[in-house]
Amino acid sequence: MADKARGTNLDEGQAGEESAWTVEEVEKIVVETLDATLKDQDYVEEKVPQWVNAVCEQAMKRLAELKKPFKYIVSCVIMQRTGAGIHTATSSFWDTVNDGVFTYVWPKEKSKEHVKKSMYAIVTVFGLEF
């Protein structure tokens, strides 16, 4: 009987992990989406609205495919790299145990991959458990 009880707890623990906010999964989706959309592009102001929409829509689609109990918010900023600074911040009042946020600046300064560096993109993903 003790073994059965332990097995039940283990199963519940595994189910909890499968539905938890996982930064690694979110980061993989964001990086792959940014690379697919922007990697070989030069900054063109007229294309920025399309790119922003594509990044947000593709990331949202892939996050939803995880089938986790989260409502997602995805934001994307694309800025031409001119030497000007940019500062961003987020603030949340939420369940710090179950909800999560992830922000990624693309491309990484020390990236070993060949990426055209004529622009920056900043993507933030919020995951709110329901």
Side-chain angles (χ1 to χ4, degrees):
M1 185 138 202
D3 289 333
K4 185 176 182 183
R6 266 188 261 136
T8 302
N9 290 340
L10 181 61
D11 293 343
E12 288 172 6
Q14 287 173 339
E17 288 174 18
E18 289 173 8
S19 66
W21 173 264
T22 309
V23 171
E24 295 80 15
E25 284 180 320
V26 176
E27 180 175 18
K28 183 177 189 289
I29 288 170
V30 169
V31 171
E32 288 174 356
T33 301
L34 285 165
D35 282 346
T37 306
L38 301 176
K39 187 174 182 177
D40 297 321
Q41 302 292 334
D42 284 315
Y43 184 86
V44 178
E45 186 174 350
E46 293 78 24
K47 291 185 177 181
V48 171
Q50 301 168 221
W51 294 335
V52 167
N53 287 338
V55 167
C56 289
E57 289 172 9
Q58 286 301 310
M60 185 68 75
K61 179 183 175 202
R62 292 193 53 203
L63 289 163
E65 288 171 355
L66 295 174
K67 303 227 185 284
K68 292 194 172 193
F70 288 95
K71 294 178 270 184
Y72 295 103
I73 301 166
V74 178
S75 72
C76 177
V77 174
I78 295 176
M79 179 178 158
Q80 185 174 15
R81 191 181 284 237
T82 61
I86 184 170
H87 301 271
T88 66
T90 60
S91 181
S92 314
F93 182 74
W94 61 13
D95 180 346
T96 58
V97 174
N98 297 311
D99 299 337
V101 63
F102 173 74
T103 299
Y104 189 84
V105 178
W106 181 95
K108 288 292 184 196
E109 289 298 321
K110 297 179 181 180
S111 175
K112 293 179 182 175
E113 290 186 36
H114 174 68
V115 176
K116 292 191 177 185
K117 295 186 177 181
S118 64
M119 65 185 122
Y120 291 106
I122 302 170
V123 173
T124 301
V125 178
F126 292 89
L128 308 166
E129 189 174 49
F130 58 83

